[in-house]
Amino acid sequence: TDLFGLYRTVLLRKPETIPVVARPTDSELQLRTHRLQYSIAAFLLRATRSVQVLFEMHAVRVSGARRALRICLRIEAVKLILRLWLRSRTPFSFYVDEEALEESQAPQSSNQAVDPLAPAGQFIGRRSGKVLRPLSIQSDGGHAKLGGLATDMAVAVPRILVAETLFHGRPLVHLLSLMRYGQKSWTAWSTALIFDWLSLVLMGQGTSQGTGTPFTALELAELRRRRNLLWWALARSPLYEWTLHRPCKALERLIRRIPILNMFNLMELLL
């Protein structure tokens, strides 16, 4: 279901809402190729996230927990490569996930969506949804934009570079810590939390230096997404066993006594 939803999202997405870096000399075919490459890479990344748990569960059943950790490490390496490639194709000062882009592209109506990279003063047809952009090239906050496309990449300050290293390196460091200290290790849990917390602190200081451009709005949406991800630390071992394990088990036993609901494993669906 998740994969079908992702595929449908890719097909129905307006091409002008795809944030790619383009040179003023790029032809329409080259621009279309850039957007297609970005869409394929973004779909592969989200599809990998959707099936990652299935690979982990299969590896645990067949080869055990340690083998599953090795497979998770390889999957995270693939995801990191895809994120780095997407980052190199976008004009932001750090990686902005597709979920943050979708959040910022709230639809104006049932048939059209806001282009987060579109400059102010554009006209959008109410029936056709066509966008008529200003003829002149605008420069906003150091990002030159031509027809809603960024013609240069934002320069990341050292603070953001360190924050990005911590954020993208956290899954790999966490898995390596689990392989060394065990799945119930507080050292692995604390290391992952420290990496996430430091990344958010440094990222917040870096984005606060923005100039109020549309790119800054998208970057702030990504920052909110990362703050929400921090709550998943409660679901990691060994803190989960100390805090949420018993309440979740009690809720699961209660749900199993309710007709119709006991036909579904709601706890697995929620987690």
Side-chain angles (χ1 to χ4, degrees), residues 50-174:
S50 299
V51 300
Q52 181 174 359
V53 177
L54 297 179
F55 283 112
E56 295 174 8
M57 294 173 61
H58 176 73
V60 169
R61 288 184 178 181
V62 175
S63 306
R66 192 163 187 84
R67 174 65 177 174
L69 289 175
R70 293 195 183 99
I71 292 179
C72 290
L73 192 64
R74 296 171 184 172
I75 294 176
E76 290 296 336
V78 172
K79 290 164 59 178
L80 178 59
I81 293 173
L82 289 172
R83 285 195 296 264
L84 292 176
W85 190 90
L86 289 170
R87 164 66 185 90
S88 67
R89 295 299 188 272
T90 55
F92 312 115
S93 57
F94 57 88
Y95 171 74
V96 175
D97 194 78
E98 282 285 293
E99 294 182 4
L101 293 175
E102 291 178 358
E103 175 188 343
S104 63
Q105 294 171 2
Q108 286 183 333
S109 65
S110 59
N111 296 324
Q112 66 184 60
V114 176
D115 181 1
L117 303 182
Q122 69 178 9
F123 174 78
I124 304 179
R126 289 193 299 175
R127 294 184 178 179
S128 64
K130 295 294 184 180
V131 179
L132 300 180
R133 308 180 187 278
L135 296 178
S136 59
I137 299 177
Q138 300 183 2
S139 179
D140 191 1
H143 302 285
K145 293 187 290 182
L146 177 60
L149 294 172
T151 56
D152 62 346
M153 293 182 63
V155 179
V157 298
R159 186 182 292 110
I160 289 183
L161 292 177
V162 175
E164 280 289 88
T165 302
L166 291 172
F167 176 76
H168 294 295
R170 192 273 303 162
L172 301 177
V173 173
H174 185 219

